[in-house]
Amino acid sequence: MKKYLYSLVLSAVTCGNALFAQSVDQGKKFFYYERYNSAKEELGKVLAANPNNIEATYWLGQTLLETKDSVAARDLYQKALATNGNAPLLLVGMGQIELMDGKKEEARQRFETAISLTKSKDVDIFNAIGRANVQARNGDADYAIEKLNQATQVKKFNDANTYLIMGDAYRKKVDGGSAVQNYQRALEMNPTLAAAKHRIGRIYLTQKNTDIFLPAFEDAVRIDPNYAPAIYDLYYYYFSRDINKAKDYYDKYLAVSDPNPENDYEKTAILYASRRYDEAISTANGFIAKLGDQADPKYYKLIAYSYDEKKDSLNARKYLEQYFAKQKPEGFLPKDYEFLANTLAKFPGNEVQAMENYDKAIAMDTAMESKLELMTNAAALAKKTGNRAGEAKYLGQLYATKKDPNNVDLYNWGFANYQAAQYTTADSIFAIYSEKYPNEIFGYLWRARANQAMDTTMQQGLAVPHYEKLGEMALSIDAAKFKGQAISSYFYLVQYYNDIKKDPAKALEYINKVLEIDPANETAVKIRDILNKAVNKKAVIRKKPEAFLLS
């Protein structure tokens, strides 16, 4: 009888453990699909039944971190460690919190202790360490890669997640090639791992390579129709391109994701993208009225955009200012400041404030392509409002920031400085231009004009060497194409030597250069005759004293 009862109890315990394991696995699955509310609920059930379930505790902490609740995650790990001080997974979880606090040495010590406690044989521990270093801002990607490589050496290793996390680590190092290579390894081990395909797409998305990232997102959904992150990215891609297709993807997304107040906002955003601006405004105002202070501040921004499309700048500004008053600092996007800048610029007297907001947008944006776009747009707005110095500033930032700036970038920067009457700077920029592009006319031309602008009376002769060089290079580069530039250069030198230096003979040399290029130039012919008389008159004056002595 005792033996029977023992077997029954053992069977019940074993069955119970299996159910708990299944629930933890379900929680992890929800985490993978980024269904964090479901993950919290599932893992919470496990911990309600067994507060000492280490794996459930670890994954609940990870879920809390993903939902930006680091305070709750810290509290969870600290309390669990108080009773399970040597639990490797909890040590890694707490190490991740310490990394977030900037305590790198303390975190590293916890990671190494966890490895030691598992005798370097637990792939889950290596994966957790890799994940911690990838997710934490202060994490060490190289250390993550080192430990993940150790995981692959564990006997009977067979975990595609290791390569998935390794891909994330390389991505953190901005090594896209190695990241893709590891994501592909993960797919080879587990062809149903949609996250790997999706993350390959995300890498090529940053490069704006539509031919690769779009099929990658589509493949991720084909591999696993429940993988919501890839479906959402497809929705987002088509949002500004094909709103009907975007709506189809969003409906699919809603079917496989957790209910979220954000979903109501996205539905309203679809109205905006469908150009149903009045409906978007009405719907957004409805949610604001219903939710009060709990309403997502983005509703105000959406209304502002809708009014902007309706050419109602007053209401656009009104709702945009409410958005900025209500949004949390971490909720702002670079484009928010750009929108505010362009809205303010529509009201005279706000030009300085508008450009200050562009400065905020540029400083905030960390993505190279969009940062360059912001600089370009800021320069255009500055030019539109007559702020040529501002235009020059942003074009200078653009030139300095671009990985491979070209001659057009350099020219635009220099010309903007010239237009802003910043002639010394313009001269310096076009000096660089003539050095980098010696077979183009623009460096020589605008150095001459910048120096001419700095010396309008010609008394200093600042522009003289530059007009001499311009005339020479115009004929050298393409005499037919740049004939006009050569002629204007020589006319300037004629004026300088005749009017300023009182040297008609030198002026005559340059007018003859004009006539060599353009023999039929009537103005040059007239000036040549005048200069010839002046030269001859000087010669007569010089000879008169000698004639007097001889007589």
Side-chain angles (χ1 to χ4, degrees):
M1 183 68 176
K2 288 183 179 179
K3 184 176 181 182
Y4 171 75
L5 285 173
Y6 174 78
S7 298
L8 189 62
V9 170
L10 181 61
S11 175
V13 170
T14 304
C15 182
N17 286 340
L19 287 172
F20 285 138
Q22 187 177 16
S23 296
V24 172
D25 287 343
Q26 185 61 41
K28 289 163 62 178
K29 192 172 183 180
F30 282 134
F31 181 90
Y32 167 77
Y33 284 121
E34 298 186 9
R35 295 181 60 175
Y36 300 122
N37 289 336
S38 293
K40 274 197 283 188
E41 183 180 347
E42 193 70 27
L43 295 165
K45 289 178 183 176
V46 176
L47 290 174
N50 179 9
N52 290 317
N53 188 305
I54 303 302
E55 190 178 16
T57 302
Y58 169 77
W59 283 105
L60 179 57
Q62 294 300 296
T63 304
L64 291 168
L65 290 175
E66 288 293 337
T67 56
K68 311 299 182 187
D69 195 349
S70 59
V71 173
R74 183 195 308 274
D75 185 56
L76 178 71
Y77 286 146
Q78 284 177 337
K79 286 181 179 178
L81 279 169
T83 54
N84 300 278
N86 289 321
L89 264 180
L90 296 180
L91 289 170
V92 176
M94 197 62 215
Q96 184 171 346
I97 298 291
E98 288 169 336
L99 271 184
M100 293 170 65
D101 292 340
K103 299 176 180 178
K104 298 180 182 180
E105 293 303 319
E106 291 91 333
R108 183 69 61 90
Q109 186 175 350
R110 288 193 190 271
F111 298 149
E112 291 297 331
T113 301
I115 293 170
S116 177
L117 288 169
T118 54
K119 300 180 181 180
S120 301
K121 293 180 179 180
D122 193 328
V123 173
D124 286 340
I125 293 301
F126 286 123
N127 285 353
I129 292 170
R131 187 181 301 105
N133 280 275
V134 168
Q135 296 296 331
R137 185 178 179 183
N138 293 306
D140 185 338
D142 288 318
Y143 179 71
I145 292 166
E146 175 191 332
K147 297 307 170 187
L148 292 165
N149 275 318
Q150 281 184 243
T152 65
Q153 304 306 310
V154 173
K155 190 176 181 181
K156 295 182 180 180
F157 167 75
N158 185 30
D159 191 347
N161 287 305
T162 302
Y163 286 116
L164 184 70
I165 301 167
M166 202 180 305
D168 294 341
Y170 275 111
R171 188 178 177 192
K172 185 170 186 171
K173 281 168 58 69
V174 199
D175 184 349
S178 296
V180 169
Q181 190 176 45
N182 279 280
Y183 292 143
Q184 287 172 337
R185 284 181 184 173
L187 278 168
E188 288 168 8
M189 291 186 71
N190 181 1
T192 66
L193 193 64
K197 197 70 176 178
H198 178 235
R199 289 176 198 178
I200 290 173
R202 294 290 295 178
I203 286 176
Y204 288 103
L205 176 64
T206 61
Q207 301 171 12
K208 296 189 175 181
N209 192 333
T210 313
D211 292 338
I212 298 180
F213 78 73
L214 198 55
F217 291 161
E218 290 167 346
D219 282 348
V221 177
R222 180 183 53 78
I223 290 170
D224 186 349
N226 293 315
Y227 192 68
I231 300 173
Y232 186 85
D233 274 345
L234 286 166
Y235 151 72
Y236 192 81
Y237 172 77
Y238 283 110
F239 184 85
S240 57
R241 295 170 175 84
D242 184 340
I243 192 58
N244 292 322
K245 203 166 187 177
K247 187 178 183 304
D248 288 342
Y249 275 117
Y250 196 69
D251 288 340
K252 292 176 182 177
Y253 172 75
L254 290 177
V256 296
S257 61
D258 284 346
N260 192 311
E262 183 73 13
N263 296 341
D264 290 328
Y265 172 79
E266 293 295 346
K267 291 175 185 176
T268 312
I270 288 172
L271 293 174
Y272 164 80
S274 302
R275 301 181 184 277
R276 294 156 63 181
Y277 304 124
D278 289 330
E279 286 183 66
I281 292 168
S282 174
T283 304
N285 271 320
F287 281 115
I288 290 171
K290 176 183 176 181
L291 301 172
D293 291 340
Q294 300 303 311
D296 191 326
K298 288 190 294 185
Y299 282 116
Y300 293 94
K301 180 171 65 173
L302 183 62
I303 295 172
Y305 269 110
S306 298
Y307 275 119
D308 186 65
E309 290 291 341
K310 286 165 61 67
K311 310 301 180 187
D312 185 344
S313 300
L314 281 171
N315 272 312
R317 178 175 178 174
K318 171 187 168 183
Y319 278 94
L320 190 55
E321 287 174 344
Q322 289 184 73
Y323 166 71
F324 271 86
K326 294 176 182 295
Q327 181 62 281
K328 295 177 181 177
E330 63 271 19
F332 289 115
L333 302 172
K335 281 290 184 181
D336 294 344
Y337 292 103
E338 181 181 36
F339 184 29
L340 181 58
N342 288 321
T343 301
L344 290 171
K346 294 175 181 177
F347 298 88
N350 290 280
E351 293 82 5
V352 173
Q353 191 180 354
M355 301 323 297
E356 286 174 351
N357 278 286
Y358 254 119
D359 288 337
K360 291 177 183 177
I362 292 166
M364 183 181 189
D365 204 326
T366 57
M368 182 59 69
E369 287 297 324
S370 53
K371 196 178 190 76
L372 294 174
E373 182 182 353
L374 284 170
M375 291 173 182
T376 302
N377 294 345
L381 180 61
K383 181 179 179 179
K384 183 179 179 180
T385 57
N387 181 3
R388 303 312 290 260
E391 180 194 10
K393 180 186 85 169
Y394 293 115
L395 291 176
Q397 290 179 6
L398 185 70
Y399 185 81
T401 306
K402 266 192 172 183
K403 185 178 180 181
D404 296 305
N406 56 32
N407 58 333
V408 176
D409 298 317
L410 189 57
Y411 174 85
N412 289 341
W413 179 26
F415 185 69
N417 274 279
Y418 179 85
Q419 292 291 90
Q422 296 172 168
Y423 301 121
T424 303
T425 305
D427 177 51
S428 299
I429 294 168
F430 283 113
I432 297 170
Y433 194 103
S434 59
E435 290 171 9
K436 290 176 73 71
Y437 308 103
N439 294 319
E440 293 188 15
I441 196 71
F442 304 108
Y444 311 109
L445 173 64
W446 289 102
R447 285 207 77 186
R449 291 184 179 177
N451 279 276
Q452 181 181 354
M454 285 189 278
D455 184 17
T456 54
T457 63
M458 294 187 173
Q459 294 297 325
Q460 299 176 69
L462 297 180
V464 171
H466 300 294
Y467 273 115
E468 288 175 344
K469 187 68 174 178
L470 174 60
E472 173 195 339
M473 295 308 297
L475 298 176
S476 173
I477 294 169
D478 190 331
K481 185 176 180 180
F482 299 119
K483 172 183 173 181
Q485 283 79 4
I487 289 173
S488 63
S489 298
Y490 294 140
F491 269 126
Y492 179 89
L493 294 167
V494 168
Q495 183 182 2
Y496 172 75
Y497 280 108
N498 184 70
D499 297 354
I500 306 302
K501 302 301 288 183
K502 309 301 181 185
D503 187 346
K506 189 70 174 176
L508 186 58
E509 289 180 22
Y510 285 106
I511 206 66
N512 285 330
K513 285 180 179 286
V514 173
L515 290 167
E516 286 175 17
I517 301 169
D518 184 9
N521 191 305
E522 293 181 3
T523 303
V525 170
K526 290 178 182 178
I527 293 174
R528 181 191 62 187
D529 293 343
I530 295 170
L531 289 173
N532 271 325
K533 289 178 183 178
V535 170
N536 290 333
K537 185 177 180 181
K538 273 199 170 186
V540 169
I541 292 172
R542 282 197 300 271
K543 288 178 181 179
K544 277 185 177 179
E546 297 173 9
F548 178 77
L549 290 171
L550 288 172
S551 65

